[in-house]
């Protein structure tokens, strides 16, 4: 029997392992939902996914990549030429500007290729750890950290796995709970569960398979205030 704290819950590392195992059974085929054919397309798609659903991004990228197939084509364009293609994803002016600037930087420093290091990716305009983690893990199989999006932030707090609310601190705390090999899958599985069950405004607690491991579980769905959307800076 696992050790428990004074509230009757196993400590976070043990509970994280159990949650990870249960999520794996619920979502055995979970993977990154974005459509991509090469690391550069994944980088662009991930940048577009900020404050936007992966489904919407996947609707936009076929025409976008048909017009701008690589970093060189984006680098030769002006943001205004990219904006009409990415408008449906929201914050389209910032996104178009970041994609063009990032493409130019990749040509200048990396021969148009997406680098395989966190440090190099963070030099790209508009790219922060969330985007870099997705690209490194999904395109290259490198788990440099845990991707903390809105779903991961919400679920990691509701499940009592972290005490922090800041994404940077949440990532650090989640990284300490599971082996590095599991970091990417932890994020993806939490995202799938956040979309399907543990939603922001009305989580389906009554049918949640993690109820016995969740300190926030309630018999009736919770109502929370709609989340405010901040202007896009770095994703």
């Amino acid at each position: 029997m696992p050790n428990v704290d004074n509230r009757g819950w196993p400590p976070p590392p043990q509970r994280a392992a159990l949650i990870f195992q249960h999520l794996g059974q619920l979502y055995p085929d979970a993977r990154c939902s974005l459509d991509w054919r090469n690391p550069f397309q994944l980088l662009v798609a991930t940048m577009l996914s900020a404050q936007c659903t992966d489904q919407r991004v996947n609707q936009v990228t076929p025409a976008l990549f048909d017009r701008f197939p690589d970093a060189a084509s984006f680098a030769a364009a002006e943001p205004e030429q990219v904006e009409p293609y990415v408008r449906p994803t929201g914050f389209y002016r910032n996104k178009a500007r970041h994609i063009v600037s990032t493409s130019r930087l990749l040509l200048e420093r990396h021969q148009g290729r997406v680098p395989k290091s966190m440090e190099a990716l963070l030099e790209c305009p508009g790219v922060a750890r969330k985007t870099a983690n997705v690209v490194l893990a999904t395109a290259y199989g490198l788990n440099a950290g845990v991707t903390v999006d809105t779903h991961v932030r919400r679920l990691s707090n509701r499940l009592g796995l972290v005490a922090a609310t800041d994404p940077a601190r949440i990532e650090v705390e989640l990284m300490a709970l599971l082996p590095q090999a599991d970091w990417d899958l932890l994020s993806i599985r939490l995202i799938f569960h956040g979309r399907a069950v543990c939603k922001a405004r009305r989580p389906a607690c009554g049918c949640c398979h993690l109820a016995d491991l969740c300190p926030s579980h309630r018999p009736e769905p919770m109502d929370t205030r709609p989340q405010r959307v901040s202007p896009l800076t770095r994703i």
Side-chain angles (χ1 to χ4, degrees), residues 72-94:
S73 57
F74 275 110
E78 294 301 322
E80 293 76 13
Q81 296 174 274
V82 178
E83 288 177 7
Y85 294 89
V86 303
R87 180 187 292 266
T89 68
F91 301 102
Y92 64 95
R93 290 191 177 91
N94 277 342

Side-chain angles (χ1 to χ4, degrees), residues 119-171:
E119 293 75 15
L121 282 170
L122 293 181
E123 294 176 350
C124 297
V127 174
R129 287 193 62 92
K130 173 193 165 187
T131 297
N133 277 328
V134 171
V135 172
L136 290 173
T138 306
Y140 298 130
L142 301 173
N143 283 348
V146 176
T147 301
V148 179
D149 74 344
T150 56
H151 295 292
V152 174
R153 179 178 180 180
R154 180 175 71 254
L155 268 67
S156 60
N157 276 275
R158 284 183 179 173
L159 289 165
L161 295 178
V162 301
T165 57
D166 174 70
R169 288 301 311 164
I170 289 174
E171 181 181 7

Side-chain angles (χ1 to χ4, degrees), residues 16-168:
L18 292 172
I19 289 170
F20 183 74
Q21 179 182 3
H22 289 346
L23 290 174
Q25 295 169 353
L26 291 171
Y27 312 104
D29 301 319
R31 62 176 181 83
C32 177
S33 301
L34 296 169
D35 294 336
W36 58 283
R37 294 183 179 179
N38 55 59
F40 178 75
Q41 288 190 357
L42 177 62
L43 174 61
V44 172
T46 307
M47 294 172 73
L48 292 176
S49 70
Q51 306 295 347
C52 181
T53 66
D54 289 358
Q55 181 181 16
R56 178 61 61 86
V57 172
N58 290 339
Q59 293 171 351
V60 166
T61 49
L64 176 68
F65 293 144
D66 184 61
R67 173 63 178 83
F68 305 101
D70 51 27
S73 57
F74 275 110
E78 294 301 322
E80 293 76 13
Q81 296 174 274
V82 178
E83 288 177 7
Y85 294 89
V86 303
R87 180 187 292 266
T89 68
F91 301 102
Y92 64 95
R93 290 191 177 91
N94 277 342
K95 291 179 179 181
R97 185 174 70 253
H98 288 158
I99 291 170
V100 169
S101 297
T102 286
S103 298
R104 292 172 179 173
L105 182 146
L106 293 180
L107 282 181
E108 293 171 3
R109 302 184 186 179
H110 305 285
Q111 296 77 52
R113 295 189 292 268
V114 177
K116 297 182 180 180
S117 76
M118 176 66 70
E119 293 75 15
L121 282 170
L122 293 181
E123 294 176 350
C124 297
V127 174
R129 287 193 62 92
K130 173 193 165 187
T131 297
N133 277 328
V134 171
V135 172
L136 290 173
T138 306
Y140 298 130
L142 301 173
N143 283 348
V146 176
T147 301
V148 179
D149 74 344
T150 56
H151 295 292
V152 174
R153 179 178 180 180
R154 180 175 71 254
L155 268 67
S156 60
N157 276 275
R158 284 183 179 173
L159 289 165
L161 295 178
V162 301
T165 57
D166 174 70

